[in-house]
Amino acid sequence: MPFAGGRRPLPNHRHWEAIMSVRAPLANAGVFFPPPLLFVAGLGAGWLLDRYIVALPLPPLIGGSALMLGGACLAIGLCLVAWGMVTFRRAGTAITPHHSANRLVVSGPYRFTRNPMYTGLTIVYIGVSALLGSEWPLLLLPLVLFIVFHFVIEREERYLADAFGSEYAEFRRRVRRWL
């Protein structure tokens, strides 16, 4: 008999810790809602607050050029979002975070920002706020960005680090998260 007393010894706690610490690679970022909805929700909440609770119009200095400022931000933001989406399409990888990425995209707008689509959506948000002529959406923007960061970007970055390892670490070192 190879074991004393005929019984196999119980594994120690380090054996179980090693088994329990092994995890499967992440299949995707774990974001199961379209992130642009967070921006739409912030704009909608700001509009509702302005319309039905207390109106907070933009100051006159800004309000006088709100159409021009809003239109410019809207156009710039939409172009940045579209550029990011086209770059993803050309690379043949998933745009939505609930699908897995088959390659790390580092070209196009991703040379300047790791999140061109969220940066673009933020610029669009500012433009729409100016077009609405209300401060409420702008006051809610930090909350929207907090939620986007903690519930979307952090998860995406964790997934990309897991999926692409040192290649993503180098990308993070080289390219800023925003602008």
Side-chain angles (χ1 to χ4, degrees), residues 3 7 9 23 29 40 42 49 54 58 61 65 70 78 82 85 90 99 118 121 143 150 152 169:
F3 302 112
R7 289 185 295 160
R23 65 171 182 75
V40 171
L49 286 166
V54 175
L58 290 172
L61 177 65
S65 57
L78 288 174
M85 292 175 75
R90 286 184 180 154
H99 290 105
Y118 301 136
L121 287 170
L143 176 62
H150 287 288
V152 179

Side-chain angles (χ1 to χ4, degrees), residues 125-145:
Y125 186 105
I126 292 167
V128 172
S129 297
L131 292 172
L132 290 173
S134 173
E135 283 187 38
W136 276 114
L138 295 174
L139 293 173
L140 294 175
L141 182 57
L143 176 62
V144 169
L145 293 176

Side-chain angles (χ1 to χ4, degrees), residues 1 11 57 82 87 101 117 143 168 179:
M1 286 201 168
T87 305
M117 289 185 255
L143 176 62
Y168 183 68
L179 286 177

Side-chain angles (χ1 to χ4, degrees), residues 100-153:
S100 59
N102 56 4
R103 70 178 43 109
L104 182 63
V105 178
V106 297
S107 61
Y110 296 90
R111 292 174 294 163
F112 313 109
T113 171
R114 295 196 312 257
N115 296 293
M117 289 185 255
Y118 301 136
T119 302
L121 287 170
T122 302
I123 296 168
V124 166
Y125 186 105
I126 292 167
V128 172
S129 297
L131 292 172
L132 290 173
S134 173
E135 283 187 38
W136 276 114
L138 295 174
L139 293 173
L140 294 175
L141 182 57
L143 176 62
V144 169
L145 293 176
F146 176 85
I147 293 168
V148 167
F149 177 74
H150 287 288
F151 293 97
V152 179
I153 292 173

